[in-house]
Amino acid sequence: LENRCSAENYRQRFGTLPQEQERKLYRVLLVSPDEKAVTSMWRELTHHSTYEGLYGAARHAMFHRPSYDGHDCQLMVDSFASPLEALGYLKSNRCDLVIADFAMPDMDGVAFCCEARQVSPDTACILVSESMDMPSLSNAINQAHIDDFLKRSWNNYELKFAVMRALRYRDLLLENRALADMLRERTRAEDKPV
């Protein structure tokens, strides 16, 4: 009975309990002709180990807020070997994040991310390459608005960190846009003559 009262008090003050909140679903699109790399990324992004769950629980206990380590969100991952097929998919499906290989047939990763941004402007992009010199990397960031860059020799931590960082940044941009729209509406309402 005491636990139910505590839970109800928590709900009244802060909303739903963290374990009752729905996990956010993100759609991720992998685009690479390298089947081995795609399989490895897919497995890593869709697999949640016990260690991650314990780490998330410890972070929640320490900071008293839901963690953002992959357990408060779920990644739904699709993949394509062809960038042209992936663009066709993007035209009819919502996607939150694209992870594209730099070296692909038909178009490189930078050109693909530019096209993807035109089709779906709110989609975050991560570029994967064996190595890139600074001018090429700078061009990719400026031209295609790449959110992050991964070397092909990524480890699991680097991959998950880049994905979570890109999704967090995307969410922040969307939230800021929504807040700016609300502020504009409020300002318009206050400026109207009575």
Side-chain angles (χ1 to χ4, degrees), residues 32 34 37 101-103 128-131 149-155:
S32 175
D34 184 352
D101 198 331
F102 180 76
V128 180
S129 178
E130 189 63 44
S131 65
F149 172 78
L150 278 174
K151 284 196 161 218
R152 187 175 300 283
S153 58
W154 52 266
N155 64 39

Side-chain angles (χ1 to χ4, degrees), residues 10-104:
Y10 183 94
R11 276 189 209 96
Q12 288 174 355
R13 285 183 69 196
F14 304 109
T16 61
L17 293 169
Q19 61 266 30
E20 294 174 355
Q21 293 174 351
E22 281 190 39
R23 290 166 47 172
K24 189 164 184 172
L25 176 66
Y26 291 103
R27 296 192 67 92
V28 178
L29 184 63
L30 303 177
V31 186
S32 175
D34 184 352
E35 188 176 329
K36 188 176 178 183
V38 167
T39 302
S40 181
M41 278 187 187
W42 181 86
R43 183 177 38 245
E44 191 56 40
L45 292 175
T46 58
H47 174 75
H48 298 290
S49 68
T50 305
Y51 170 76
E52 289 173 340
L54 292 173
Y55 177 71
R59 282 191 56 198
H60 175 68
M62 287 174 26
F63 300 116
H64 305 292
R65 62 177 185 240
S67 65
Y68 206 86
D69 66 352
H71 272 271
D72 62 343
C73 69
Q74 181 179 357
L75 302 177
M76 191 169 206
V77 182
D78 294 306
S79 64
F80 289 90
S82 164
L84 299 177
E85 288 177 15
L87 284 173
Y89 175 83
L90 270 176
K91 288 178 182 175
S92 59
N93 295 284
R94 179 186 67 82
C95 188
D96 302 303
L97 172 66
V98 168
I99 302 175
D101 198 331
F102 180 76
M104 294 188 288

